[in-house]
């Protein structure tokens, strides 16, 4: 059993703090509207940028990297909830997305 919770995109509150741990090129193409970006590889060095009192819904492309990020964060006292299916599931569910330059959001 994992130390963190995993939820479906439809269980995420509208005002949730979403943390996207994908790489810069993936982020640029499309992301959950209002998400915060912190690539997984930078998380150990930049963890202090996150508020330990915030519940973060962690998202990647399909759920693998976000699960690793959530496990890392929970192990350091943060509340991190993994988003099942990641950005692909977010897009398929018709949740609000944005992309750089006003482009049509997509998930890579």
């Amino acid at each position: 059993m994992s130390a963190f919770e995993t939820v479906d995109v439809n269980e995420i509150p509208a005002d949730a703090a979403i943390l996207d741990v994908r790489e810069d090129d993936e982020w640029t193409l499309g992301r959950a509207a209002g998400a915060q970006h912190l690539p997984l590889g930078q998380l150990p060095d930049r963890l202090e940028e996150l508020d330990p009192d915030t519940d973060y819904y962690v998202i990647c492309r399909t759920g693998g990297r976000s699960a690793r990020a959530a496990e890392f964060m929970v192990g350091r006292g943060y509340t991190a909830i993994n988003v099942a299916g990641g950005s692909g599931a977010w897009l398929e569910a018709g949740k609000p997305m944005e992309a750089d330059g006003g482009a049509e959001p997509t998930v890579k």
Side-chain angles (χ1 to χ4, degrees):
M1 185 167 178
S2 60
F4 59 89
E5 183 180 357
T6 297
V7 298
D8 182 89
V9 295
N10 294 309
E11 297 176 51
I12 300 172
D15 62 346
I18 299 172
L19 180 65
D20 192 319
V21 296
R22 295 176 301 149
E23 296 300 319
D24 292 340
D25 61 326
E26 296 172 289
W27 164 265
T28 299
L29 292 174
R31 60 199 168 266
Q36 181 177 350
H37 185 221
L38 182 54
L40 178 61
Q42 297 176 21
L43 186 59
D45 294 331
R46 295 178 55 195
L47 186 62
E48 72 280 350
E49 294 176 23
L50 302 177
D51 182 353
D53 296 324
T54 296
D55 295 343
Y56 289 98
Y57 288 81
V58 188
I59 195 167
C60 64
R61 184 173 51 98
T62 60
R65 286 175 283 179
S66 57
R68 291 195 307 270
E71 183 176 31
F72 176 83
M73 291 171 67
V74 166
R76 281 140 189 89
Y78 289 76
T79 301
I81 301 112
N82 184 41
V83 178
S87 296
W90 187 274
L91 180 66
E92 288 177 15
K95 298 284 189 179
M97 293 190 71
E98 55 194 21
D100 284 5
E104 183 69 27
T106 188
V107 176
K108 172 187 168 199

